[in-house]
Amino acid sequence: MSNGQWYPPEWPDRIRALAAGELTPAAPRRAATVMLLRDGPDGPLVHMLRRRTSMAFAGGAYAYPGGGVDPRDDRPVGWAGPSPSEWADRLGTGDAALAQAVVCAAVRETYEEAGVLLAGPTPDTVVGDTTGEDWEADRRALVDRELSFSQFLERRGLVLRSDLLGAWARWITPEFEPRRYDTWFFVAVLPEGQRTRNASTEAESTVWTRPGVAAAGYDRGELLMMPPTIATLRTLEPYPAAADALAGSAGRDLAPVLAQARLVGGEVVLSWPGHDEFTRHVPQGGRR
């Protein structure tokens, strides 16, 4: 492998099974992930976590905080910023309730996995410090699904700050994968006074890194990443400051990216439209 592209050895067989009609694609689950940024001395830094190497799915790969939509994420919630209807237009869902659920998932998962909360007591403020035993108890209750996000915000007297998020990209897990996600990628700036921590049970470590440095590590084969991660990471490189990236999100194309697999003779050709660097040619009985 010349770079750090995550490529499970079972993919060619699953692709062939899909092409032969022997594999029924799983329905993708809605999900959200957040590229959390802060300014460093040489430009923006992005918060990344390294998945535990013991995990069956993408073990050891670098990713961003995120996860699946909770069925309760569409419940009425204190809200500030663009409305769910406006988000429905931006995200391409055509459904305000679904758009709210995706945005709530983005904010909730960032809090659950990084300890950062994009919410405040008023529409123009953000909570400062989210550390302490009482905050940790609520975070654990969210993770364990004992508490819905709307209940959490109501109990704390907070409103979700949807204006602190910018929609960045949308990727859908390939049809041959057993676990599939329809994932919206967001960008956000670390609120003043808050700090990240490794709160995820799926991560063995976290790091603040310059996008270009992490991408170079991937190119050298030193850092393992899935295609959506390295693709979105590269798009952050041109921005001189975290706020510039957030502002630039308004012009981002959210057309979903879905891998295409086809059989050419006995060779499997796997590609992601618009992302030629991920194309793979796998001969019969092998991988390349």
Side-chain angles (χ1 to χ4, degrees):
M1 181 173 64
S2 60
N3 56 30
Q5 183 177 343
W6 181 71
Y7 189 85
E10 66 272 16
W11 271 11
D13 288 341
R14 294 189 63 85
I15 291 170
R16 291 188 176 97
L18 180 66
E22 300 167 355
L23 183 67
T24 301
R29 181 185 176 191
R30 312 287 189 178
T33 190
V34 177
M35 299 181 289
L36 195 61
L37 305 175
R38 68 175 173 86
D39 288 321
D42 299 313
L45 303 173
V46 61
H47 178 71
M48 304 190 76
L49 55 83
R50 184 173 187 260
R51 293 170 59 83
R52 295 188 182 277
T53 54
S54 58
M55 298 188 68
F57 180 79
Y62 282 79
Y64 313 112
V69 169
D70 185 311
R72 301 171 298 176
D73 281 336
D74 63 358
R75 292 183 178 180
V77 63
W79 192 277
S83 68
S85 294
E86 291 175 289
W87 275 107
D89 291 339
R90 178 69 181 116
L91 300 179
T93 66
D95 182 331
L98 174 56
Q100 176 190 302
V102 171
V103 172
C104 278
V107 176
R108 175 179 52 74
E109 288 285 344
T110 303
Y111 180 56
E112 288 180 8
E113 296 199 339
V116 171
L117 184 59
L118 304 177
T122 66
D124 57 356
T125 59
V126 187
V127 293
D129 186 2
T130 61
T131 60
E133 292 183 5
D134 58 334
W135 283 101
E136 177 60 18
D138 279 352
R139 193 195 66 79
R140 286 301 317 168
L142 284 170
V143 171
D144 295 337
R145 299 299 181 259
E146 297 171 355
L147 186 68
S148 72
F149 193 56
S150 61
Q151 290 171 326
F152 164 70
L153 292 179
E154 182 178 10
R155 182 154 73 182
R156 290 275 175 181
L158 301 173
V159 294
L160 181 151
R161 289 286 306 276
S162 79
D163 57 316
L164 299 182
L165 284 171
W168 198 263
R170 181 182 179 185
W171 287 67
I172 302 176
T173 308
E175 292 182 334
F176 47 82
E177 265 292 291
R179 292 190 302 175
R180 303 183 63 215
Y181 295 92
D182 182 353
T183 305
W184 281 267
F185 285 71
F186 295 86
V187 66
V189 178
L190 179 69
E192 185 176 354
Q194 294 193 38
R195 59 183 184 273
T196 57
R197 57 193 178 91
N198 183 9
S200 173
T201 58
E202 298 181 354
E204 62 184 21
S205 62
T206 62
V207 64
W208 282 99
T209 181
R210 289 171 54 195
V213 170
Y218 167 90
D219 291 336
R220 292 191 299 268
E222 298 170 357
L223 302 184
L224 184 68
M225 297 182 201
M226 292 175 280
T229 307
I230 180 60
T232 50
L233 191 66
R234 293 197 196 283
T235 59
L236 292 173
E237 291 187 52
Y239 294 93
D244 295 322
L246 180 59
S249 66
R252 297 286 305 170
D253 182 5
L254 297 188
V257 179
L258 174 64
Q260 297 177 348
R262 64 188 190 277
L263 293 176
V264 181
E267 184 180 63
V268 170
V269 180
L270 176 62
S271 61
W272 279 259
H275 300 272
D276 293 342
E277 71 167 300
F278 304 129
T279 299
R280 289 276 186 147
H281 296 264
V282 185
Q284 181 72 39
R287 57 180 296 189
R288 185 181 302 165

